[in-house]
Amino acid sequence: MEKPRRIIRPSDDISLGEINASVPVPPAGAGFAKTLASYLGPGALVAVGYMDPGNWVTSIGGGAQYGYVLLSVVLLSSLVAMLLQCMSAKLGVVTGMDLAQATRAHTGRKLGFALWIVTELAIMATDIAEVIGAAIALHLLFGIPLTIGVIVTVLDVFLLLLLLKVGMRKIEALVVVLIATIMVIFVYQVILARPDIPQILTGFLPSPSLTHSGQLTMALGIVGATVMPHNLYLHSAIVQSRNYDRTSLESKRQAVRFATIDSNLQLSVAFVINTLLLLLGAAMFYGRGSDLGTLGSVFDALKDSKIAGAVASPVLSILFAVALLASGQNSTITGTLTGQVVMEGFIKMRIPLWLRRVVTRVIAIIPVVICTIIFGGEEAALDNLLVYSQVFLCIALPISMVPLVWFTSSKKIMGEFANRKWAVILGWLATAVLTVLNIQLIWQTLSGLF
């Protein structure tokens, strides 16, 4: 008689064993287009972290307050993200380990456990943003009270269970569809808004005005919230879903090459969406004296002709809420996978993904429900909670960036795939700058509390 399978069990040495090497790739010489098509997908799952609900108010609010000047910050943040995500993908392909496994291999058991706790808090902080975004979207679309909307978000575990049954490529396809939905909606809205093209081009050039206190604070918010630590762990794991030859240097070269192309393509899409968000704020709301501090206020403004002008309509508001809901569901999928990666990597323990989803989401909704009840369902309170949740992301960021740059710059670990000198310099510079910016963001957040 077989023993019942334990829910909690030790992990093996394979990152995300359920999907590892599950997607076939063509042999060498199969042609660029065919090979690229087989590698496209993991970058999309990573890109959703750069367009989650936590960034929406910052991007739209930045455009509404300062026009097009913060476009240069969006561009710089995206370039840094591309550099780090390429390093993450390369680490996974070359070493066969994700970032959590590699970090644990170079640390002791106690330190590994401490790093796991901090990373889990960062994932839960990210999940809080998705809960809030989805609940607000449900409220805006269907009038569902925020408290009930928060509880309803737990049910998305069934979506993930269904997707796991149909395979990795189906998950990637759904994420791509949701990203496309978001992009189409905002392209349509920005076209209607008719942004000033010369000012857009000028906005991509850094301006001295960025040093002014208000613009600097907004810039810090954009940069600090863009590069999220969980994406670095996720990418190094899901890139291994491709069934390339782990023993062949040539096969690894091909996998690194096409994973890099995939990552840069998908992050370019994320850059376009973040740019569209800022353009929407600048073209429709800049100089109109409107307060767009919450997602709900943006929803209301899009149908108010006194704020958004002649193009304002209920359709624009509904499309905005649909895009918000799509963004929240996208991030839900990737957050669950990342949680499994860090649990297996840091403490060598695994649980079923459905249980992982339930536990993470229930823990995340507790502070959201409490905040909703205490403040009587006010959206402003939830948006403040969303901002404060980013503090955990700031703390966890250097914990993931430092080992990533270190490992991928080491010839002992990476061999011929080690970062080139220019990448090493840029990697450490980005790590130092982002760490300093996030420390300043933490200080500003805490100062605002007292």
Side-chain angles (χ1 to χ4, degrees), residues 30-103:
F32 179 85
K34 185 176 181 180
T35 305
L36 177 61
S38 68
Y39 278 95
L40 288 176
L45 272 71
V46 171
V48 300
Y50 295 91
M51 58 182 88
D52 73 336
N55 291 332
W56 285 38
V57 170
T58 303
S59 295
I60 296 177
Q65 292 182 51
Y66 304 111
Y68 303 92
V69 72
L70 292 174
L71 284 172
S72 60
V73 179
V74 174
L75 175 61
L76 179 61
S77 300
S78 298
L79 292 175
V80 171
M82 289 180 182
L83 174 66
L84 294 175
Q85 293 300 161
C86 287
M87 290 183 183
S88 177
K90 183 167 62 174
L91 176 69
V93 170
V94 175
T95 67
M97 294 188 291
D98 57 58
L99 180 57
Q101 290 173 326
T103 305

Side-chain angles (χ1 to χ4, degrees), residues 432-450:
V433 171
L434 284 175
T435 300
V436 170
L437 291 179
N438 279 292
I439 290 173
Q440 185 167 348
L441 184 61
I442 292 171
W443 175 256
Q444 290 177 345
T445 303
L446 294 178
S447 299
L449 294 175
F450 303 102

Side-chain angles (χ1 to χ4, degrees), residues 361-415:
R361 180 49 59 96
V362 168
I363 293 176
I365 71 170
I366 290 174
V368 182
V369 170
I370 293 174
C371 182
T372 305
I373 294 174
I374 291 177
F375 291 95
E378 291 184 8
E379 187 199 332
L382 291 184
D383 282 295
N384 287 333
L385 177 61
L386 189 153
V387 172
Y388 297 145
S389 71
Q390 303 306 301
V391 172
F392 283 117
L393 299 179
C394 298
I395 295 172
L397 188 56
I399 292 176
S400 57
M401 288 181 65
V402 169
L404 175 65
V405 178
W406 175 29
F407 296 152
T408 54
S409 299
S410 170
K411 290 187 177 181
K412 183 178 179 180
I413 296 174
M414 302 293 292

Side-chain angles (χ1 to χ4, degrees), residues 101 157 169 189 214 220 290 329 372 447:
Q101 290 173 326
V157 65
R169 289 297 266 177
Q189 293 188 335
L220 288 176
S290 52
Q329 290 308 302
T372 305
S447 299

Side-chain angles (χ1 to χ4, degrees), residues 129 146 185 196 426:
L146 288 176
I185 288 173
D196 188 308
L426 289 179

